Amino acid sequence: MKVLKFGGTSVANSNSLRKVISILNDNDGSSLIVVSALGGITNLLQECLILKGKSTQKVLKEIEIRHLEIINNLSSQKSQKPLKKFLKEKLSELEEILYAISTIDEVTKKTVSKVLTLGEILSCKIIYNILKENNFDISIIDSSSIIFTKKANNNDVLDEDKTSINIKNKLALIKSKYIIAPGFICSNNDGEISNLGRGGSDYSAAIYAKYLNAKSLEIWTDVSGVFSANPKIVKKASPIEFLSYKEAMELSFFGAKVIYFPTLRPLIENNIPVYIKNTFEPKANGTCISNSTKLDQDEVVKGISHIENISIINFEGSGMVGVPGFSKRFFESLSIHNINVIMITQASSEFSICIAVNSTDASLAKDVIDKEFEFEISQRRINESEIESELSNIAIVGDKMKSKKGISGKLFNSLGQNNINIRAIAQGASERNISIIIDQKNTKKALNALHETFFEKDLKDIHIFITGVGNVGKYLIEQIKNQKKFISENLKINLKVLGISNSKKMIISKSEIDLNNWLENLKKSNKISHSEDFQNKVIELNLRNSLFIDNTASDLIPDTYSHYLNNGIGIITCNKIANSGSYSNYQSLKVLSRDNNSPFLYETNVGAALPVISTLNNLINSGDKIVKIEAVLSGTLNYIFNSFNEVDTFHEIVSKAVDLGYTEPDPKIDLCGIDVSRKILILARESGYKLEIDDIKKNHFLPEDSIKAESKDDFLLSLKKNKEHFNSILKEAQKSNSRLKFVAKLDNGEASVGLEAVNIDHPFYNLEGSDNITVFYTDRYNDSPLVVKGAGAGGEFTASGVFADIIKASQ
């Protein structure tokens, strides 16, 4: 014989019951069927108790409707009348009990059991008659006359001797293929109806399985087994095909709701396997829980479980050290007051004890502890206990964790990379689980990060939030869209854009934004763009592996960088403002990035997609010393001066560069050398020099009225008015057969920018179009300098550099 238990969702309505009937039709051999109350009925009965019998007519009507739906749809006309009569009688009994409760305004334990067990009594009777009508060879038994409890340490526990005799003797007399019994219900040692508490229906089934020596227990529910994590929080969680009893016990204790750990105790003793199956997907494998676990080579961590609404209580003081019996007093005082301790950690110095309890027990636990050690506290040998709340307990579980090195390291690294602080940690000698306490606000992020680390070997989700969708941003989004499949298949990285904003509108979504029509959706958005609002939404989502992308030239958005980094959100930026502002801010952002494990990448600050900054960093990190840097760092200015070959054309060339998107939104920033000054400043700082922008020597070539122009149009007009000034610069260079280049230099800690006429022997002479060139003179590369050369301007090139930084940060 085997035992089949059908949960509330399996018997919730006529449609789900048809599934149950189909499962039973496919079942081989004799079986005991244990049923729960119809899904949701227990909650309605609890509501009646909460209301203390008052204003319960609406609830009673709902209970009646739910049961009548099944009777009317699955019973014949002949059977409906007695079933409806039975339903009416039981509801009348319930109404009388509720009236009594409302009269005396008191709910006793006995009354609670009478009310709560009604759901199982009704479902069992109705399902029995429906199965009987469907030609099942079936008998019905009353669990309250078979399963008994007794008192032990003031608690109700299973009376194993009495229950064992009842099951073996009474069920041996029944010869039908199927026996059906209500779950949850039992009787106490006074013979009064009682219940088996939380998870009682599963526990009932396990008790029957044990004393019938069943070959297996099948628990049919609405999920396909025990999942690797809570699938409502971790979308990529998957069913665990095999678990050992001990693994299942650990997962259950730490919050897995599919099976309640007392259910496993009777099964362990008789080595009875339990199968968690899905009523609505009966062909799915589900989970098998048994004495052993089938294990893939790399499958060490089997599942991740968690409990929310946890508080930790810290208790410390020198008076604890080396005092025998201290821990006994501590835990005994909690036990007397029925306070369940979820986790314990103690310093090896014995200077402190930290325990985790449910938040509802925290205040009582503190009072109990402080009362027990009142004398020691008064003598200042021990401090009063302290409570920290709004925490979660997360446990990773697996039988083979003990024999596998690096599991703890993976856990800490995964959380650290996502800026999640561990408040407390515990690991048993069996090393079957590692338990941690974290801030509750980080629960979702932590669960997903850990699941990705231990289970998602194929794909890593990267959550991207983009601000600035103009010249650079639009190319970046297009590149992400076009390369998404390639990156996924070859780098195992899933790039998910969840936020987009420009200067007017913004979109923030919990799900991935469709990049095929992002611009249209952005225009339709009713969310006004604001950098702080955008940031608050990103932080509120609190997703692992999050990156903020700044494609703007704004001087306001960099002010938000520190808050992003502090919250574990990486930054990829082509905006030079932050790194060319004050040195203290530049250094502060790098420290925040390091301390919070938040990437801060800005390769495109210098040279667009050219690997200028990374090359410089590699030189320094490998022990080389920078002696001198000479560079043409403005693709814009190189394009302009390469094109300026004829007199009276300077203003036209600059206007064309603006139209091509080569310049900053304000072209004066380029032509005044401000942009190049920022770039050489960043290279100087990356080289180890503590320079400020005012330390850069600037050799201006623009006339005064161009420098003072207040708008882009005024600036371009001033260039036309001063054409003779630019003609003279060109003619002077042509006299010596030289070419004009705007050159940035760093030489022994001194930086400068300015227009120079370079002769034919100079490495910059043949620099074409909008290309950039950076020449590194170092201790190693002295006689033959290291040269980085290529396209250094244009939205598409800059976007590709930003994209490369995104991939680097993701890896």
Side-chain angles (χ1 to χ4, degrees):
M1 175 177 278
K2 62 182 177 182
V3 176
L4 310 175
K5 184 265 176 178
F6 291 95
T9 52
S10 299
V11 296
N13 52 50
S14 58
N15 288 330
S16 59
L17 264 173
R18 288 188 181 98
K19 296 281 188 182
V20 171
I21 293 169
S22 176
I23 290 166
L24 293 175
N25 277 324
D26 293 337
N27 182 59
D28 294 326
S30 60
S31 299
L32 173 76
I33 302 167
V34 177
V35 293
S36 298
L38 272 58
I41 293 299
T42 301
N43 291 336
L44 292 172
L45 293 169
Q46 286 174 333
E47 188 177 340
C48 291
L49 292 171
I50 292 168
L51 294 170
K52 291 188 177 179
K54 299 168 185 174
S55 305
T56 57
Q57 288 303 314
K58 186 177 178 180
V59 179
L60 290 171
K61 188 65 178 175
E62 177 64 22
I63 294 172
E64 181 182 21
I65 290 170
R66 292 285 308 283
H67 288 86
L68 284 174
E69 188 272 334
I70 292 175
I71 293 170
N72 290 333
N73 284 303
L74 295 181
S75 295
S76 65
Q77 290 292 329
K78 182 180 178 182
S79 297
Q80 283 182 19
K81 188 173 181 180
L83 282 177
K84 289 178 179 179
K85 181 182 178 184
F86 176 75
L87 174 62
K88 186 175 181 180
E89 288 173 355
K90 290 300 176 183
L91 290 177
S92 295
E93 287 178 21
L94 175 60
E95 197 167 10
E96 289 176 9
I97 294 170
L98 294 176
Y99 177 76
I101 291 172
S102 67
T103 302
I104 62 175
D105 199 31
E106 182 182 349
V107 181
T108 64
K109 187 176 179 180
K110 181 179 177 180
T111 305
V112 168
S113 286
K114 281 186 176 181
V115 172
L116 293 184
T117 56
L118 180 66
E120 278 74 14
I121 292 170
L122 287 171
S123 67
C124 188
K125 177 72 172 177
I126 292 169
I127 294 168
Y128 164 73
N129 278 273
I130 290 168
L131 293 176
K132 192 81 173 171
E133 269 200 286
N134 279 269
N135 299 316
F136 282 87
D137 179 17
I138 190 167
S139 301
I140 187 170
I141 58 173
D142 179 7
S143 294
S144 66
S145 65
I146 295 173
I147 300 176
F148 283 81
T149 61
K150 63 181 180 181
K151 286 291 182 184
N153 296 323
N154 209 33
N155 293 314
D156 290 323
V157 299
L158 181 67
D159 187 333
E160 296 192 35
D161 293 337
K162 191 171 183 179
T163 300
S164 172
I165 292 168
N166 285 335
I167 290 175
K168 290 174 182 176
N169 292 344
K170 293 185 179 182
L171 271 65
L173 300 174
I174 300 173
K175 302 303 179 184
S176 56
K177 180 179 178 181
Y178 289 103
I179 304 170
I180 189 168
F184 186 58
I185 301 172
C186 65
S187 291
N188 61 24
N189 53 348
D190 294 323
E192 298 169 336
I193 194 165
S194 187
N195 67 80
L196 293 172
R198 177 188 165 192
S201 288
D202 286 356
Y203 189 30
S204 300
I207 292 168
Y208 280 118
K210 175 182 177 179
Y211 295 118
L212 288 171
N213 199 23
K215 68 176 183 179
S216 66
L217 166 62
E218 295 177 7
I219 296 178
W220 291 85
T221 179
D222 60 347
V223 292
S224 298
V226 180
F227 276 63
S228 51
N230 187 334
K232 293 180 180 178
I233 299 174
V234 181
K235 300 304 180 187
K236 292 185 179 179
S238 57
I240 307 167
E241 194 167 351
F242 299 99
L243 282 172
S244 70
Y245 291 128
K246 291 178 180 178
E247 287 171 333
M249 289 278 279
E250 294 280 1
L251 288 170
S252 175
F253 179 80
F254 286 103
K257 294 180 172 61
V258 176
I259 190 164
Y260 189 45
F261 62 89
T263 301
L264 296 169
R265 291 175 189 157
L267 305 173
I268 294 171
E269 296 169 15
N270 285 33
N271 195 20
I272 298 170
V274 55
Y275 297 88
I276 312 297
K277 302 282 285 181
N278 191 337
T279 305
F280 308 98
E281 293 181 33
K283 299 299 183 184
N285 288 334
T287 299
C288 173
I289 303 170
S290 64
N291 194 39
S292 62
T293 177
K294 293 183 180 180
L295 186 71
D296 291 337
Q297 189 66 29
D298 298 327
E299 196 178 43
V300 178
V301 174
K302 299 298 287 291
I304 304 169
S305 197
H306 79 287
I307 310 172
E308 295 184 357
N309 299 314
I310 295 294
S311 295
I312 58 174
I313 298 176
N314 295 300
F315 194 49
E316 61 181 40
S318 58
M320 297 167 58
V321 180
V323 179
F326 183 92
S327 295
K328 176 179 180 294
R329 289 174 59 196
F330 183 89
F331 291 107
E332 195 172 70
S333 64
L334 296 170
S335 175
I336 290 170
H337 290 83
N338 294 315
I339 296 170
N340 183 42
V341 177
I342 295 168
M343 195 181 93
I344 306 164
T345 180
Q346 183 174 19
S348 57
S349 64
E350 299 183 18
F351 183 79
S352 65
I353 292 178
C354 173
I355 61 169
V357 299
N358 285 317
S359 292
T360 52
D361 293 332
S363 295
L364 176 59
K366 172 180 167 53
D367 293 343
V368 166
I369 293 166
D370 289 348
K371 180 68 175 176
E372 176 65 28
F373 295 96
E374 188 174 14
F375 175 73
E376 288 87 348
I377 292 171
S378 69
Q379 297 295 306
R380 297 186 178 178
R381 290 158 53 192
I382 297 175
N383 302 327
E384 285 189 15
S385 57
E386 296 179 349
I387 300 174
E388 292 183 51
S389 296
E390 296 183 0
L391 304 171
S392 288
N393 182 312
I394 294 178
I396 62 171
V397 174
D399 278 339
K400 302 298 182 181
M401 283 166 49
K402 184 174 183 177
S403 59
K404 183 74 172 178
K405 296 177 181 177
I407 298 298
S408 298
K410 277 188 175 183
L411 181 147
F412 298 140
N413 186 55
S414 176
L415 297 181
Q417 285 182 343
N418 285 280
N419 199 37
I420 298 169
N421 186 39
I422 297 175
R423 313 289 297 133
I425 182 169
Q427 182 174 19
S430 69
E431 296 187 34
R432 187 171 290 110
N433 86 71
I434 301 174
S435 303
I436 58 170
I437 302 291
I438 63 167
D439 286 339
Q440 190 163 300
K441 66 180 182 180
N442 289 324
T443 303
K444 181 178 179 180
K445 185 199 283 190
L447 289 172
N448 279 278
L450 291 173
H451 196 271
E452 184 176 82
T453 296
F454 291 110
F455 295 98
E456 298 167 30
K457 297 179 178 64
D458 292 335
L459 215 55
K460 178 181 182 180
D461 285 343
I462 303 297
H463 304 102
I464 298 172
F465 302 88
I466 299 171
T467 190
V469 290
N471 190 35
V472 175
K474 68 181 181 183
Y475 280 116
L476 175 63
I477 292 174
E478 187 69 16
Q479 289 170 11
I480 291 173
K481 184 186 79 171
N482 293 338
Q483 286 297 104
K484 182 177 171 64
K485 184 178 179 182
F486 176 88
I487 296 295
S488 173
E489 291 176 353
N490 292 275
L491 301 182
K492 304 303 180 185
I493 294 170
N494 184 27
L495 300 176
K496 302 171 72 174
V497 177
L498 303 185
I500 297 175
S501 73
N502 59 17
S503 59
K504 297 178 180 179
K505 301 284 189 73
M506 67 182 190
I507 306 170
I508 291 280
S509 174
K510 291 181 180 179
S511 56
E512 192 171 353
I513 294 171
D514 183 358
L515 299 186
N516 289 305
N517 56 3
W518 66 269
L519 185 57
E520 182 182 346
N521 289 334
L522 184 62
K523 289 176 180 177
K524 290 179 180 178
S525 174
N526 58 6
K527 294 179 181 176
I528 304 301
S529 181
H530 191 281
S531 59
E532 287 187 9
D533 290 343
F534 190 80
Q535 181 179 67
N536 290 337
K537 294 290 185 183
V538 174
I539 292 171
E540 186 181 311
L541 284 175
N542 200 22
L543 297 170
R544 73 203 185 286
N545 307 328
S546 290
L547 297 175
F548 171 69
I549 318 299
D550 181 8
N551 297 315
T552 73
S554 166
D555 56 358
L556 296 177
I557 290 174
D559 291 340
T560 67
Y561 287 3
S562 60
H563 201 38
Y564 278 115
L565 294 171
N566 262 323
N567 283 274
I569 297 165
I571 293 174
I572 312 296
T573 180
C574 58
N575 188 332
K576 293 175 279 291
I577 298 296
N579 287 328
S580 61
S582 69
Y583 180 82
S584 60
N585 183 62
Y586 160 83
Q587 190 62 28
S588 173
L589 291 174
K590 292 176 78 72
V591 170
L592 284 173
S593 169
R594 183 178 63 248
D595 290 350
N596 292 285
N597 292 302
S598 309
F600 178 40
L601 301 178
Y602 41 87
E603 183 68 72
T604 49
N605 276 194
V606 180
L610 295 178
V612 177
I613 291 176
S614 57
T615 298
L616 174 57
N617 288 333
N618 289 337
L619 289 169
I620 293 170
N621 292 337
S622 65
D624 206 352
K625 182 181 178 182
I626 305 300
V627 176
K628 182 171 67 174
I629 298 174
E630 289 187 350
V632 173
L633 296 174
S634 172
T636 303
L637 292 177
N638 198 44
Y639 167 81
I640 289 170
F641 287 110
N642 278 340
S643 303
F644 184 36
N645 298 315
E646 299 178 11
V647 296
D648 298 339
T649 59
F650 188 75
H651 68 282
E652 294 174 356
I653 294 166
V654 173
S655 296
K656 185 177 180 181
V658 172
D659 293 339
L660 289 171
Y662 285 173
T663 70
E664 296 288 335
D666 180 1
K668 186 170 71 173
I669 292 175
D670 292 293
L671 275 80
C672 281
I674 296 172
D675 186 58
V676 176
S677 296
R678 289 170 177 165
K679 291 176 180 178
I680 195 65
L681 175 63
I682 292 168
L683 292 182
R685 288 174 172 177
E686 293 291 301
S687 300
Y689 296 106
K690 298 180 181 180
L691 299 185
E692 300 290 352
I693 193 69
D694 291 338
D695 297 325
I696 310 298
K697 184 179 178 182
K698 303 171 189 70
N699 301 313
H700 292 296
F701 69 91
L702 290 175
E704 193 69 23
D705 60 330
S706 295
I707 294 173
K708 290 182 178 179
E710 294 184 357
S711 69
K712 180 174 75 173
D713 292 339
D714 288 345
F715 177 72
L716 294 173
L717 185 61
S718 76
L719 300 183
K720 187 174 183 179
K721 287 179 180 178
N722 289 283
K723 63 181 180 180
E724 289 303 326
H725 170 77
F726 300 110
N727 289 342
S728 66
I729 294 173
L730 175 62
K731 290 175 182 178
E732 190 67 29
Q734 288 175 337
K735 278 183 186 179
S736 59
N737 197 28
S738 298
R739 289 182 177 178
L740 295 171
K741 303 292 178 185
F742 199 86
V743 180
K745 294 180 180 178
L746 175 67
D747 193 349
N748 290 317
E750 294 186 359
S752 63
V753 298
L755 187 64
E756 295 184 12
V758 300
N759 60 39
I760 197 168
D761 297 325
H762 198 284
F764 295 170
Y765 184 85
N766 291 313
L767 193 65
E768 301 294 336
S770 60
D771 284 1
N772 278 194
I773 186 170
T774 304
V775 181
F776 295 101
Y777 295 87
T778 73
D779 284 350
R780 291 183 194 142
Y781 295 91
N782 193 6
D783 297 330
S784 180
L786 178 60
V787 178
V788 179
K789 178 183 175 184
E796 189 171 5
F797 290 111
T798 304
S800 69
V802 172
F803 197 4
D805 271 351
I806 290 173
I807 300 303
K808 184 177 179 181
S810 302
Q811 293 175 318

